[in-house]
Amino acid sequence: SPLLLIAGGREKNEDFLAFSKSPLLKKIKEIFLIGEAKEKIRAAVDGKVPTTFAETLEEAVESAYRSASRGEAVLLSPMCTSFDMFKDFEERGDRFKECVKRYAE
């Protein structure tokens, strides 16, 4: 089923153009972008998949939840470091789990 992807963070010379050419992009319904790299990721996938900016991870999860249809998955796969918004990747992952639990109940 289609994926709703949450991506972004602090960029460290990632090649977002390579991502934009990936066949996996066809499985993504929409990308919710957070953090410092959101503009660069949007530019790389421009026109290939809809993108939505979010100021926080919480906002991204809420927007993805509202856009998702039954049976679709929301995936956090940031492509970047977490240091622009979180202490580390573990804190980001824990926050994502907390956000998802609000909608799973």
Side-chain angles (χ1 to χ4, degrees), residues 6 12 32 35 38 45 53 56 62-63 69 77 86 92 96:
I6 299 174
K12 287 177 52 180
F32 300 86
K38 63 186 172 189
V45 300
F53 285 159
T56 65
E62 180 179 353
S63 295
S69 298
S77 186
F86 302 96
R92 178 173 55 194
F96 177 71

Side-chain angles (χ1 to χ4, degrees), residues 23-41:
L24 295 175
L25 201 62
K26 293 177 184 174
K27 296 181 182 220
I28 298 173
K29 176 180 174 179
E30 187 172 355
I31 302 174
F32 300 86
L33 297 168
I34 59 173
E36 294 172 5
K38 63 186 172 189
E39 295 279 354
K40 286 186 177 183
I41 298 170

Side-chain angles (χ1 to χ4, degrees), residues 65-77:
Y65 175 78
R66 289 180 184 203
S67 291
S69 298
R70 186 171 209 79
E72 294 177 338
V74 175
L75 174 68
L76 173 65
S77 186

Side-chain angles (χ1 to χ4, degrees), residues 8-98:
R10 179 169 288 159
E11 187 238 339
K12 287 177 52 180
N13 299 317
E14 285 84 7
D15 184 4
F16 300 125
L17 287 176
F19 168 69
S20 74
K21 296 173 184 174
S22 169
L24 295 175
L25 201 62
K26 293 177 184 174
K27 296 181 182 220
I28 298 173
K29 176 180 174 179
E30 187 172 355
I31 302 174
F32 300 86
L33 297 168
I34 59 173
E36 294 172 5
K38 63 186 172 189
E39 295 279 354
K40 286 186 177 183
I41 298 170
R42 176 183 267 176
V45 300
D46 189 36
K48 295 180 181 174
V49 63
T51 57
T52 300
F53 285 159
E55 292 303 312
T56 65
L57 180 59
E58 291 81 2
E59 183 183 327
V61 170
E62 180 179 353
S63 295
Y65 175 78
R66 289 180 184 203
S67 291
S69 298
R70 186 171 209 79
E72 294 177 338
V74 175
L75 174 68
L76 173 65
S77 186
M79 298 190 277
C80 300
T81 69
S82 60
F83 301 124
D84 60 336
M85 300 172 78
F86 302 96
K87 177 180 69 173
D88 55 27
F89 73 94
E90 290 173 324
E91 181 183 18
R92 178 173 55 194
D94 289 343
R95 183 84 54 84
F96 177 71
K97 287 189 273 187
E98 289 170 11

